[in-house]
Amino acid sequence: MTRNAAGDVDVVVVGAGQAGLSSAYHLTRAEIDHVVLDHAPRPGGAWQFRWPSLTYGKVHGMHALPGLELTGADPLRPSSQVVGEYFAAYEDRFDLRVHRPVDVSAVREGDAGRLRVETSVGIWTARALINATGTWDRPFWPRYPGQETFRGRQLHTANYPGPQEFAGARVVVVGGGTSAVQHLLEIAEVAAGTTWVTRRPPVFRDGSFGEAEGRAAVAQVDERVRQGLPPQSVVSVTGLPLNDAVRAGLASGVLDRRPVFDRITPAGVAWADGSHVDADVILWATGFRAAVDHLAPLRLREPGGGIRVEGTRAVRDGRIHLVGYGPSASTVGANRAGGAAVREIRRLLSRETAGAPVG
């Protein structure tokens, strides 16, 4: 069940995207007293903020939440609408009663071994916390010499409005991931010119990507998390999928890549060899970082800068579970992690009830 006001619960779930809703589903089925807090204005997780030109048919690997399939979606509709409506229906179907908009400012040590969760609408205390905040709220902006002198526009994927605003502009796209490729292919159709720059040469993946390849990719991300290093995304170790649109972009030269520039000038970007590209816009498709600043009072970070996790449990505090973090930062991974976290929490609560020490 859930509570309707701040107070004491067994579990607080922070975030109502794929990972948070999966966790809430399993908590509800296990009849564990919990509350779900989400800072977004409506259902949909990070999907609700995606640009309109990212239609559902362009989405790569969207897995259904447990207990309710997503069927009959129009591939030409914006993914923000399709997934937002699906998440809203999911919350209704399973009576998840997400509290929103609620901002979680800090999680601290509370009284009697409980966690104190400080929010914009009051304070909850809990025996355990599932953190499902994802990365969308922490876009990563690299810093380069001269960046503040640029006379054009700079924006991040998090604020990408779609290609229409770049008509007639000279655009530099920075980043080697899927979003950068999607942006380039769209913008090139309306822009005066595009330039793609990446820190490392992009790796394109041809052929199928099966279960074995998926396990190997997740294992690489998982190893970093186990070492207490900041997690990479699963996508970052799988390579860029080759499809017809990407092949056309390679053939036309739109996806010709240059190494990242050395500095930014008032009129564009420049390299150490003296070459320069004029630009009206720099679009930073440089990814995101885990949104976990509210957990800082618990001192979970390792010297390497990340939170060391075993399964979903934070090694430094077994009451904290991170889902949608590191190896579970995919829609299918978030589903599985939600169930795994709840199973572990059931064991934790049982040990507490029996009076055994919690590790």
Side-chain angles (χ1 to χ4, degrees), residues 14-67:
V14 185
Q18 187 98 13
L21 293 183
S22 171
S23 300
Y25 169 85
H26 290 289
L27 287 166
T28 300
R29 286 172 60 87
E31 298 184 340
I32 295 174
D33 184 24
H34 68 281
V35 65
V36 184
L37 310 177
D38 187 35
H39 84 112
R42 56 190 177 274
W47 290 97
Q48 65 192 274
F49 306 112
R50 302 295 171 88
W51 50 99
S53 56
L54 182 62
T55 56
Y56 186 67
K58 296 179 181 178
V59 170
H60 177 65
M62 171 68 192
H63 285 78
L65 284 157

Side-chain angles (χ1 to χ4, degrees), residues 138-298:
R138 284 202 62 201
F140 174 61
W141 291 74
R143 301 300 304 173
Y144 285 90
Q147 195 162 356
E148 70 284 353
T149 71
F150 182 61
R151 292 193 296 261
R153 180 185 183 190
Q154 297 186 59
L155 71 161
H156 191 276
T157 290
N159 308 113
Y160 177 68
Q164 66 282 351
E165 291 195 22
F166 304 94
R170 298 162 298 178
V171 183
V172 174
V173 177
V174 187
T178 304
S179 292
V181 171
Q182 290 178 347
H183 297 337
L184 278 158
L185 294 177
E186 291 186 342
I187 293 170
E189 295 183 2
V190 299
T194 59
T195 302
W196 185 24
V197 300
T198 69
R199 287 192 300 118
R200 293 182 294 272
V203 176
F204 292 96
R205 184 187 76 244
D206 199 0
S208 62
F209 188 77
E211 186 175 343
E213 291 84 0
R215 284 198 301 267
V218 170
Q220 291 183 53
V221 180
D222 184 56
E223 182 58 29
R224 286 182 60 87
V225 170
R226 288 180 178 273
Q227 294 176 12
L229 298 172
Q232 294 174 303
S233 68
V234 174
V235 172
S236 71
V237 296
T238 63
L240 296 164
L242 268 174
N243 54 34
D244 290 343
V246 170
R247 289 189 175 91
L250 290 168
S252 68
V254 169
L255 295 181
D256 286 348
R257 166 261 180 192
R258 297 188 62 170
V260 74
F261 43 77
D262 296 281
R263 68 186 188 280
I264 299 174
T265 72
V269 296
W271 286 260
D273 63 5
S275 59
H276 185 276
V277 167
D278 292 337
D280 304 299
V281 180
I282 301 175
L283 174 54
W284 299 94
T286 44
F288 300 78
R289 300 294 183 264
V292 293
D293 289 351
H294 55 289
L295 301 179
L298 297 177

